[in-house]
Amino acid sequence: MKLREEGLRDRESWERIGVRLPSYDISSVRRKSIAAPRWVHFGIGNIFRIFIGGIADTLLNEGELDRGISCAESFDFDLVDRIYRPHDNLLLSVTLNPDGSLEKRVIASLAEAVKAEGGGWERLREIFRSRELQIASLTITEKGYALRGADGSFLPFVREDLERGPEKPLSVMAILTALLYERFRSAAGPIALVSMDNCSKNGEKLRSSVLTVAEEWRQRGFLPEDFLHYLEEESEVSFPWTMIDKITPRPAEAVAEKLSELGIEDMEILVTGKGTYIAPFVNAEGPQYLVIEDRFPNGRPPLEKAGVYMTDRDTVNRVERMKVTTCLNPLHTALAVYGCLLGYRRISDEMKDRELRALVERIGETEGLPVVTDPGILSPRAFLSELLSIRIPNPYMPDTPQRIATDSSQKVGIRYGETIKAYVARYKSADRLLGIPLAIAGWLRYLLAVDDEGRSFERSPDPMLQSLTEALSGIRLGEPDSAADRLRPILANENIFGIDLYRAGIGEKIEGYFREELRGRGAVRATLKKYLSGEEDKKS
């Protein structure tokens, strides 16, 4: 059996091995989608395919939607050439349950795959001229919205786009701004730009980046001031805030083997030239949450009928703060950096580690919950409990600390900085924190690329890796004094943490933990034991 439109005609064979197939006419849906697109998405990797694609697929199956999503890729074109096109844009969705069972489903809502270059660029311009287009959504990771580096200046590739203008942009923010200009010039009507990325106030970040590119182009004479007025008017272009949550690890070899054993062909995992791990299937956990500010000036699909929470901006902000700054993301980053230092290859295995479990419980329950705002539609305590007891410990989730450690410099400010600022606002200082300073110290220790046994390891990709490595150069394991005065430029950098950690009252504390973890082999473990050994006893 092949994951192709032709291969799906033998429904009985697929259903015999427990694979659910679409109930709608795939060809008809795709024809309508291409002729009059209503939804385009940028960043067409794994979480988009299984989660956002799954939402559209559910609505199609229930007759609530009559067309799918146009999938646009501006960064890793191998996704289109090596995954989408060879499999007719179909996806095999695999849910990894805690009991070891697999739920398998073919998703066919991904109507077309378009590269933002050559003929694909012309197709994207055509899509944005469609009066029926309602949504341009994004999952491009936090760094996709960044226009400036830690020093506040425009990143080199952004500067190139600003000088080049809107005709042939390369970066996603410039591409999106240029396409909005195309829509403006053709008077195609309102549109909602929906960031579905895992970052604080994502709609605000997206709006700020688009407006910055547009203003820079206006100053260079590439577009008129009226276009900026168009972008600023939310009845024309809205930027709803969202919160998204579904743990979606890289495709697992064990899953690929199981699918092949069932008779499904060509399930091999690929690594693209840009380092993306991808396959014709996506494996992920079952729990998923998507909360969206209901601000769509050109209409929208009935997303609530597929389990999406549609609400107001304040509620989205509270849910997002609950998840990103308290109940999930800070815990994940702590497990990621310490998992790399302590030799773990699976996040679920780390939850069996006494000190690491105590660390994330301390960060989430003891330090996070007291300053999180209850969003009302989800309970922070219940959300955190599900995470600690079911989601992270799921032994069948092949998620790795190495994957989660990716782009940590773009995350630590959001995942820890917000709670630190909340403590400063409430108590005038964050010096009572323990778990969060330990997590930040662990991140700095991770950046040395030497584990707790003194072995070198490869750090995950990060846009600030080179500058951070240079800032920490000369610091050596076994020589705590080599760290003297080296951490201050990082810990005081508000572009990284959103706050000067020394003024917050924890800069020196983090330095102290880091120096302890630098004493020699086994010092990371010894430091965690020293400060966390009593945490589980306190709970009991």
Side-chain angles (χ1 to χ4, degrees), residues 62-80:
E62 294 177 355
E64 300 289 349
L65 201 62
D66 66 352
R67 63 202 80 180
I69 304 174
S70 296
C71 309
E73 183 56 40
S74 63
F75 173 70
D76 195 340
F77 296 144
D78 279 352
L79 302 186
V80 175

Side-chain angles (χ1 to χ4, degrees), residues 227-244:
F227 176 57
L228 270 76
H229 298 325
Y230 165 76
L231 293 179
E232 291 168 346
E233 179 53 63
E234 288 224 350
S235 64
E236 294 289 344
V237 183
S238 68
F239 296 85
W241 294 15
T242 72
M243 188 285 288
I244 188 169

Side-chain angles (χ1 to χ4, degrees), residues 422-439:
Y423 271 77
V424 171
R426 179 175 295 188
Y427 304 111
K428 310 302 181 188
S429 173
D431 60 357
R432 66 186 63 200
L433 296 175
L434 168 67
I436 288 175
L438 272 173

Side-chain angles (χ1 to χ4, degrees), residues 23 26 63 78-79 131 134 164 208 226 257 410 440 466:
S23 61
I26 297 173
D78 279 352
L79 302 186
R131 289 187 174 276
Q134 298 173 327
R164 186 183 297 112
S208 175
D226 284 354
E257 291 170 5
Q410 309 299 295
I440 295 172
Q466 181 176 346

Side-chain angles (χ1 to χ4, degrees), residues 7-116:
L8 296 188
R9 292 174 186 165
D10 184 5
R11 296 184 67 92
E12 183 178 343
S13 294
W14 288 92
E15 291 168 354
R16 188 184 305 120
I17 61 173
V19 179
R20 284 190 292 138
L21 298 182
S23 61
Y24 51 88
D25 185 323
I26 297 173
S27 296
S28 174
V29 164
R30 289 182 172 174
R31 284 195 299 271
K32 290 180 182 178
S33 305
I34 293 170
R38 286 184 178 165
W39 189 346
V40 61
H41 186 94
F42 293 83
I44 58 175
N46 291 326
I47 193 167
F48 160 69
R49 295 161 73 207
I50 195 169
F51 194 176
I52 313 308
I55 288 170
D57 189 73
T58 295
L59 294 174
L60 285 164
N61 278 313
E62 294 177 355
E64 300 289 349
L65 201 62
D66 66 352
R67 63 202 80 180
I69 304 174
S70 296
C71 309
E73 183 56 40
S74 63
F75 173 70
D76 195 340
F77 296 144
D78 279 352
L79 302 186
V80 175
D81 293 333
R82 300 177 66 189
I83 291 295
Y84 277 77
R85 288 178 180 167
H87 299 280
D88 293 342
N89 303 336
L90 298 171
L91 165 69
L92 184 57
S93 161
V94 181
T95 299
L96 307 171
N97 295 316
D99 63 1
S101 62
L102 305 179
E103 293 180 26
K104 303 174 291 295
R105 164 188 175 191
V106 171
I107 290 173
S109 59
L110 313 179
E112 60 178 326
V114 185
K115 296 186 287 188

Side-chain angles (χ1 to χ4, degrees), residues 183-248:
R183 188 170 184 82
F184 168 77
R185 288 194 296 182
S186 62
I191 188 172
L193 270 63
V194 189
S195 168
M196 296 179 177
D197 274 300
N198 214 357
C199 52
S200 179
K201 301 178 181 178
N202 48 19
E204 183 178 289
K205 290 181 184 296
L206 174 55
R207 183 176 187 272
S208 175
S209 294
V210 167
L211 285 173
T212 297
V213 172
E215 173 59 26
E216 292 291 326
W217 279 345
R218 184 199 66 80
Q219 292 179 12
R220 290 165 172 79
F222 289 121
L223 44 79
E225 189 165 345
D226 284 354
F227 176 57
L228 270 76
H229 298 325
Y230 165 76
L231 293 179
E232 291 168 346
E233 179 53 63
E234 288 224 350
S235 64
E236 294 289 344
V237 183
S238 68
F239 296 85
W241 294 15
T242 72
M243 188 285 288
I244 188 169
D245 178 26
K246 185 179 183 71
I247 300 174
T248 308

Side-chain angles (χ1 to χ4, degrees), residues 235-419:
S235 64
E236 294 289 344
V237 183
S238 68
F239 296 85
W241 294 15
T242 72
M243 188 285 288
I244 188 169
D245 178 26
K246 185 179 183 71
I247 300 174
T248 308
R250 292 171 177 171
E253 288 289 352
V255 174
E257 291 170 5
K258 178 64 175 177
L259 298 175
S260 296
E261 289 170 6
L262 291 172
I264 306 174
E265 299 176 44
D266 303 323
M267 289 292 107
E268 292 82 7
I269 299 168
L270 305 174
V271 182
T272 71
K274 294 289 181 67
T276 304
Y277 286 75
I278 199 154
F281 65 91
V282 176
N283 45 233
E285 65 173 345
Q288 59 184 39
Y289 301 90
L290 181 58
V291 185
I292 302 180
E293 178 188 2
D294 199 354
R295 192 183 296 265
F296 291 79
N298 200 28
R300 63 169 177 81
L303 299 169
E304 62 276 10
K305 294 185 178 181
V308 179
Y309 294 85
M310 305 302 300
T311 185
D312 56 70
R313 178 171 295 184
D314 286 343
T315 302
V316 174
N317 191 38
R318 290 195 297 270
V319 174
E320 182 273 332
R321 284 181 62 86
M322 177 198 78
K323 180 246 181 181
V324 174
T325 71
T326 305
C327 293
L328 193 159
N329 299 61
L331 285 60
H332 252 168
T333 292
L335 291 172
V337 295
Y338 278 109
C340 292
L341 290 170
L342 297 174
Y344 281 101
R345 302 299 299 180
R346 284 201 178 214
I347 288 289
S348 57
D349 289 338
E350 292 187 66
M351 293 301 286
K352 303 171 188 175
D353 185 301
R354 177 183 175 91
E355 284 76 43
L356 294 182
R357 186 176 186 97
L359 175 63
V360 294
E361 288 176 347
R362 171 85 189 197
I363 292 171
E365 294 177 351
T366 307
E367 297 178 355
L369 286 182
V371 295
V372 74
T373 302
D374 190 333
I377 61 173
L378 294 171
S379 162
R381 189 167 295 279
F383 186 94
L384 181 60
S385 176
E386 178 188 54
L387 183 77
L388 291 171
S389 62
I390 299 173
R391 297 176 64 190
I392 299 181
N394 183 345
Y396 298 98
M397 282 287 291
D399 215 356
T400 68
Q402 291 73 26
R403 181 189 77 88
I404 295 172
T406 300
D407 302 331
S408 290
S409 69
Q410 309 299 295
K411 301 171 181 176
V412 289
I414 297 163
R415 299 184 177 192
Y416 301 121
E418 294 302 309
T419 296

Side-chain angles (χ1 to χ4, degrees), residues 119-179:
W121 177 240
E122 292 307 313
R123 172 58 184 159
L124 287 174
R125 294 173 70 176
E126 182 180 80
I127 288 170
F128 271 75
R129 289 194 294 267
S130 170
R131 289 187 174 276
E132 293 198 40
L133 186 64
Q134 298 173 327
I135 302 171
S137 53
L138 304 92
T139 48
I140 56 174
T141 74
E142 290 159 298
K143 66 183 177 182
Y145 304 90
L147 301 179
R148 303 177 188 273
D151 62 358
S153 62
F154 284 117
L155 295 166
F157 66 89
V158 173
R159 194 178 306 114
E160 290 178 18
D161 268 335
L162 297 181
E163 297 298 332
R164 186 183 297 112
E167 287 305 309
K168 293 184 178 180
L170 297 177
S171 63
V172 65
M173 288 296 101
I175 287 169
L176 191 58
T177 307
L179 291 170

